[in-house]
């Protein structure tokens, strides 16, 4: 999905950048991550990513984890944006429920479960960072659960604030993401609110000048105003403070240097 991806940054750099946020990586861990085999591939919308054991780094497009309830109803329990890791194979004993599927066309980088096991056995900093990402995902799910007890307008407003905040953290174009991935049916499957009621709520938010709807596509004219209405605090997302890399990260995004002057990755 053009415009909703990690742009020109190398996929290894984005993997390290994401895991670096946990504060557990040492220089040797970063070197090992840059050497990790990644298989890049294009995926169409509504593609099942659970075909093999391992993890997938979302490079562009959007994906979700979902479960199918009795009667065939889908419940989305997680969203994945460019730079996020997802997958069916788990390094942890409790595993992860549900299936992972793309919401829009894009690219992913596959990491085999064998390569992951070898990596975490040799680099405990990587293992702790992966565990940290899992805890963040669980924290987001808990936030969704808490919000389920609120009125529908504030519940959906809070979800929209989260989505926009996560999109902006990766420099994605919000209008394109809402046009191709985050449709009203997705919001209904996250909130367990009927599609008809979701549509009513969105129109109520538009009437209050908190969002805009153009042919069913959502735009947020003033995120601060919507966040105040939803009582949204992005701290639980543990995202970087800015879209671009900090000065500290610039060396990381160029990859580790070696004694012979080579660089493991070129941007």
């Amino acid at each position: 999905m053009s415009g909703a991806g990690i742009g020109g940054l190398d996929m290894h750099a984005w993997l390290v950048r994401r895991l670096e946020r946990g504060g557990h990586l040492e220089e040797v861990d970063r070197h090992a991550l840059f050497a990790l085999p990644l298989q890049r591939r294009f995926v169409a919308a509504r593609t099942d990513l659970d075909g093999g054991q391992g993890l997938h780094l979302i490079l562009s497009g959007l994906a979700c984890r979902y479960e199918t309830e009795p009667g065939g109803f889908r419940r989305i329990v997680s969203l994945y944006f460019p730079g996020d890791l997802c997958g069916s194979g788990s390094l942890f004993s409790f595993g992860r429920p549900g299936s992972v599927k793309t919401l829009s066309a894009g690219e992913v980088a596959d990491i085999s479960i064998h390569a992951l096991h070898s990596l975490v056995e040799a680099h405990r900093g990587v293992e702790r960072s992966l565990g940290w990402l899992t805890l963040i995902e669980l924290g987001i799910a808990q936030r969704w659960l808490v919000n389920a007890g609120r009125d529908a307008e504030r519940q959906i407003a809070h979800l929209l604030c989260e989505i926009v905040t996560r999109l902006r953290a990766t420099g994605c174009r919000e209008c394109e993401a809402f046009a191709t991935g985050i449709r009203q049916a997705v919001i209904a499957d996250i909130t367990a609110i009927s599609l008809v009621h979701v549509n009513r709520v969105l129109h109520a938010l538009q009437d209050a000048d908190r969002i805009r709807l153009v042919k069913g596509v959502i735009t947020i004219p003033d995120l601060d105003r919507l966040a105040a209405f939803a009582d949204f605090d992005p701290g639980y997302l543990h995202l970087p403070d800015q879209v671009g890399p900090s000065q500290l990260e610039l060396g990381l995004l160029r990859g580790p240097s070696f004694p012979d002057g080579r660089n493991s990755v070129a941007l």
Side-chain angles (χ1 to χ4, degrees):
M1 189 170 97
S2 67
I6 60 178
L9 293 177
D10 181 89
M11 55 188 177
H12 285 86
W14 265 91
L15 176 61
V16 176
R17 185 176 189 258
R18 189 70 180 103
L19 293 175
E20 181 76 13
R21 292 292 169 185
H24 302 294
L25 296 184
E26 298 181 359
E27 188 63 24
V28 65
D29 301 321
R30 299 185 189 97
H31 279 259
L33 285 166
F34 272 99
L36 186 67
L38 298 180
Q39 298 296 321
R40 188 172 192 151
R41 63 186 170 107
F42 175 83
V43 288
R46 297 176 293 281
T47 296
D48 191 342
L49 294 181
D50 283 340
Q53 292 293 305
L55 291 181
H56 315 282
L57 173 65
I58 305 297
L59 302 176
S60 65
L62 305 169
C64 71
R65 182 181 300 279
Y66 70 97
E67 293 204 42
T68 303
E69 296 180 338
F73 297 104
R74 182 179 72 166
R75 286 299 309 275
I76 293 176
V77 297
S78 297
L79 288 174
Y80 300 107
F81 297 81
D84 285 340
L85 282 166
C86 61
S88 56
S90 177
L91 298 172
F92 309 102
S93 58
F94 53 79
R96 293 182 182 181
S99 303
V100 178
K101 181 171 288 190
T102 58
L103 293 171
S104 61
E107 284 188 298
V108 300
D110 299 321
I111 311 170
S112 73
I113 196 69
H114 174 73
L116 280 170
H117 277 300
S118 298
L119 182 67
V120 299
E121 286 177 3
H123 300 277
R124 296 305 177 189
V126 175
E127 182 181 31
R128 288 192 293 269
S129 294
L130 289 170
W132 173 76
L133 288 182
T134 300
L135 290 175
I136 290 176
E137 188 173 333
L138 290 173
I140 293 172
Q142 288 178 335
R143 176 58 57 185
W144 289 5
L145 183 62
V146 170
N147 284 335
R150 308 177 74 192
D151 66 85
E153 285 190 31
R154 283 178 170 79
Q155 181 184 359
I156 290 177
H158 193 282
L159 177 62
L160 295 178
C161 289
E162 176 187 310
I163 290 169
V164 170
T165 300
R166 293 175 71 180
L167 286 168
R168 290 182 180 179
T170 54
C172 295
R173 282 186 276 179
E174 299 157 32
C175 58
E176 191 169 348
F178 278 107
T180 63
I182 309 294
R183 303 293 290 179
Q184 293 184 31
V186 171
I187 295 172
D189 289 345
I190 293 172
T191 58
I193 297 172
S194 73
L195 183 57
V196 171
H197 193 40
V198 166
N199 185 265
R200 290 193 190 119
V201 169
L202 292 177
H203 277 92
L205 291 172
Q206 177 175 244
D207 291 343
D209 198 30
R210 294 189 172 100
I211 70 168
R212 305 271 169 78
L213 279 173
V214 179
K215 297 181 179 180
V217 177
I218 302 165
T219 58
I220 313 297
D222 188 339
L223 181 59
D224 289 339
R225 185 168 184 267
L226 187 65
F229 170 73
D231 193 24
F232 173 75
D233 181 348
Y236 69 98
L237 298 172
H238 296 277
L239 293 170
D241 295 329
Q242 56 186 11
V243 172
S246 67
Q247 290 298 317
L248 182 63
E249 292 174 310
L250 289 177
L252 167 66
L253 294 175
R254 296 188 185 100
S257 298
F258 294 90
D260 61 3
R262 291 181 299 110
N263 193 285
S264 67
V265 62
L267 299 184

